[in-house]
Amino acid sequence: MEAKPETEKKEKNWEPKILAFLCRWCSYAGADLTGSSRISYPANVRILRVPCSGRVNPLFILKTLRSGMDGILVSGCHPGDCHYTAGNYNARRKFAILSRLLEYVGIDPRRVQFSWVSASERDKFAKVVSAVVADVKALGPNELFQLPDFGQMTKGPTSPDP
Amino acid sequence: MSEIIPEVSKDGLLDLGKKLFDERRVDYFLGYKKGTVRFKTIPLIARKGEDLQELWVEDFFHANLSLYLKEIKGRVGILAKGCDSRSLVSLIKEGQIKREDLYIVGIPCAGQVDPGKAAKAASCEPEELEEIIRRNQEFVIRANGQEKTLSKTQVLLDKCLFCQYPRPLIFDSLLTGDYVAPVSPVARAQDDLRQKPVSEKWAFWSGQFERCIRCYACRNVCPACFCPRCIVEENMPQWVSPLPAEGDNFVFHLMRLLHVAGTCVSCGECQRVCPVEIPLMKLNEKMTDDLRELFDFVAGVDLEKALPFRTYRQEDPQDFIR
């Protein structure tokens, strides 16, 4: 199933959209510090603050992919630094299985990435975001799924692929 | 487990069941009875001793009866093949049932027949099969008045060829019989797809997910799928659209897989009931292999070991994290 053309995403100056789930205690504060230290990083990333990386249900990641985001970054505290003691350890297990499964069904692992960024690692945050953006740019737009055509849906449930 | 194994004969099973009802040890007894479809049985849910008259334990018990423990509350007597006993272990660990509420009767299983596969091997339609007879190491298939001899590998369900647990892991009594794997267990063939590049994997799976009609048979038949309200039916927020669009099918199948991770014992029911024949076991096997490799966890074999997502180790692999 190759990319479906003729979307505006194919335009020359296409920029990827990346959703970042950042842990409230470490990575979000790290992102904040990056900004207030005036270190620049690509503006492709949309930040969603979560209480803990353990809050990120794999379902969020699947749903984000399904809704057409080009890349996903999940970032939390380093192991041992979790505000809730073990949230990131539990998250790590879920993500380990999820990332292997995604790879197995044919989603490039570079689309869904994970990182540990602490509140003081302003340079690491900028580096991680730039790396993710570069990876996703190399992969091209997420055209895994054709989003439902809502005009058609009003006529009744027909095949999603006209 | 005690040294003395309380064995019961096939005739004794009926008496045992009745005794359990009489002594009020169980409120229900789950077994198999003959249905209207050949080469298949349907579950028998006995509510009193007399209902057990229909009990049938000769052959063709594909169904994993632990599924019905989702709905039945109370003390239950249940028949369990070796593989089904793993589901019971899993459900006990998940806190869905209590061991003391169960009276488990282990049944010997010489491998379950897959009529579709047998028909294919005998080059006829499944409806044309007249008889499937077990003979020591092979099967005799009668179809269209002709007899054909087929090997076990041509007739049995795929999962039975790799049977590792022919003998139930937990039980209160065992039916007499041989508790050996139908064929000497060989290592499961390595799934070729795993070695292929990502784009080919996507080509394969998007072709599979595209065909899904979202009947949810795989979910309904799964003993490990026990959420009272499934995410696919939630509409505030709506995680997955009910429309069988490819993207939503993808979310549904992966989410189903992640929800049963650690509980799934590869009983193969989901693939057996799939009307469009999506090879769901490929996904399940991949997930079970990953759990074994990453967290050294095998579902349904150990009542003590913590579930993989209820625990963690500091040295868990994290090479995928930046």
Side-chain angles (χ1 to χ4, degrees):
Chain A
M1 169 134 287
E2 248 322 292
K4 288 161 190 140
E6 90 266 331
T7 46
E8 72 251 59
K9 281 180 178 178
K10 270 278 168 190
E11 276 172 21
K12 227 194 282 165
N13 47 4
W14 166 77
E15 285 289 332
K17 273 187 196 167
I18 286 156
L19 185 64
F21 294 94
L22 302 187
C23 142
R24 182 223 181 292
W25 301 99
C26 292
S27 299
Y28 188 82
D32 209 10
L33 185 67
T34 317
S36 46
S37 313
R38 302 197 167 261
I39 296 170
S40 67
Y41 60 88
N44 306 66
V45 46
R46 277 77 168 155
I47 291 174
L48 185 63
R49 191 177 72 177
V50 287
C52 174
S53 49
R55 176 67 184 90
V56 181
N57 186 328
L59 184 55
F60 299 171
I61 295 171
L62 297 175
K63 172 106 176 159
T64 312
L65 274 176
R66 195 267 175 274
S67 48
M69 279 300 218
D70 302 306
I72 295 163
L73 170 68
V74 183
S75 188
C77 309
H78 285 270
D81 288 354
C82 182
H83 184 79
Y84 310 99
T85 325
N88 52 1
Y89 284 126
N90 291 317
R92 189 170 63 180
R93 287 208 153 191
K94 289 188 272 183
F95 299 155
I97 287 289
L98 175 70
S99 67
R100 283 184 169 217
L101 285 179
L102 284 177
E103 200 271 338
Y104 180 63
V105 297
I107 310 267
D108 199 296
R110 287 173 292 175
R111 269 202 206 285
V112 183
Q113 302 205 25
F114 305 91
S115 70
W116 302 139
V117 173
S118 82
S120 59
E121 289 176 321
R122 53 185 196 187
D123 298 323
K124 185 174 178 187
F125 183 77
K127 229 166 70 187
V128 164
V129 170
S130 317
V132 173
V133 171
D135 276 353
V136 176
K137 264 189 183 159
L139 282 172
N142 170 9
E143 283 168 343
L144 296 168
F145 317 110
Q146 180 127 18
L147 290 172
D149 179 344
F150 289 101
Q152 258 206 349
M153 274 170 66
T154 51
K155 287 177 213 147
T158 47
S159 162
D161 267 330
Chain B
M1 227 159 276
S2 62
E3 283 297 302
I4 308 144
I5 302 154
E7 284 209 346
V8 10
S9 64
K10 272 180 190 163
D11 304 322
L13 181 61
L14 202 65
D15 299 330
L16 172 71
K18 282 185 176 154
K19 205 175 105 202
L20 290 174
F21 276 111
D22 290 343
E23 291 175 0
R24 299 188 176 272
R25 295 263 315 265
V26 297
D27 304 320
Y28 298 93
F29 196 93
L30 293 175
Y32 302 91
K33 66 177 174 186
K34 274 186 172 175
T36 49
V37 181
R38 278 178 310 165
F39 316 126
K40 275 182 189 167
T41 50
I42 55 173
L44 164 75
I45 301 173
R47 289 173 180 82
K48 51 187 185 300
E50 294 84 81
D51 295 347
L52 288 168
Q53 294 298 347
E54 288 179 284
L55 200 64
W56 163 265
V57 281
E58 293 303 324
D59 206 345
F60 311 120
F61 24 86
H62 303 89
N64 183 348
L65 292 175
S66 54
L67 164 69
Y68 302 98
L69 297 173
K70 283 197 274 193
E71 301 290 331
I72 298 175
K73 299 290 165 229
R75 287 160 305 160
V76 184
I78 186 169
L79 297 186
K81 307 190 285 286
C83 45
D84 300 348
S85 75
R86 288 180 67 195
S87 285
L88 294 172
V89 173
S90 255
L91 290 173
I92 293 168
K93 281 174 76 167
E94 291 274 2
Q96 293 299 307
I97 40 175
K98 289 197 190 100
R99 177 67 183 93
E100 56 268 28
D101 286 347
L102 291 179
Y103 189 94
I104 304 164
V105 182
I107 49 175
C109 163
Q112 294 304 315
V113 171
D114 182 345
K117 200 172 156 186
K120 214 180 247 176
S123 47
C124 64
E125 293 298 315
E127 297 78 38
E128 292 169 350
L129 289 175
E130 283 155 21
E131 226 173 333
I132 302 179
I133 312 153
R134 280 176 199 269
R135 291 247 175 93
N136 295 331
Q137 289 308 308
E138 52 203 20
F139 282 88
V140 176
I141 309 282
R142 211 140 36 126
N144 298 328
Q146 287 177 322
E147 277 198 7
K148 267 181 195 164
T149 312
L150 297 175
S151 71
K152 282 185 177 175
T153 42
Q154 286 173 301
V155 178
L156 294 181
L157 283 173
D158 287 343
K159 69 160 180 176
C160 298
L161 305 179
F162 314 116
C163 180
Q164 282 183 6
Y165 301 94
R167 186 194 159 91
L169 295 161
I170 49 168
F171 56 83
D172 296 294
S173 61
L174 279 179
L175 212 59
T176 43
D178 294 331
Y179 289 88
V180 285
V183 288
S184 54
V186 283
R188 187 156 40 80
Q190 185 55 248
D191 181 358
D192 300 335
L193 193 64
R194 293 189 198 174
Q195 311 305 330
K196 296 207 169 128
V198 174
S199 58
E200 269 180 55
K201 287 175 180 161
W202 179 250
F204 177 81
W205 283 113
S206 66
Q208 300 296 338
F209 293 149
E210 211 169 43
R211 293 183 297 135
C212 176
I213 54 171
R214 292 279 282 289
C215 62
Y216 302 135
C218 49
R219 178 200 65 181
N220 294 346
V221 82
C222 179
C225 266
F226 47 69
C227 297
R229 189 169 170 81
C230 180
I231 53 134
V232 296
E233 271 132 22
E234 241 168 54
N235 46 13
M236 263 175 114
Q238 187 178 50
W239 296 105
V240 199
S241 146
L243 196 74
E246 195 197 322
D248 293 304
N249 293 348
F250 158 86
V251 177
F252 164 62
H253 282 288
L254 283 190
M255 206 55 223
R256 185 193 67 79
L257 195 59
L258 287 160
H259 275 190
V260 299
T263 316
C264 170
V265 294
S266 311
C267 71
E269 288 289 278
C270 44
Q271 182 164 332
R272 188 174 68 84
V273 299
C274 181
V276 292
E277 291 171 3
I278 297 174
L280 292 167
M281 281 302 281
K282 267 180 185 294
L283 289 172
N284 294 349
E285 297 288 5
K286 167 74 178 152
M287 182 262 297
T288 24
D289 285 353
D290 284 347
L291 282 178
R292 191 184 308 117
E293 204 181 306
L294 295 169
F295 311 130
D296 188 27
F297 180 85
V298 181
V301 295
D302 187 350
L303 271 172
E304 304 303 318
K305 194 164 183 179
L307 289 161
F309 298 112
R310 297 263 181 86
T311 182
Y312 63 89
R313 280 176 310 185
Q314 296 202 342
E315 63 278 9
D316 277 338
Q318 59 165 1
D319 47 350
F320 63 99
I321 297 177
R322 277 174 185 277

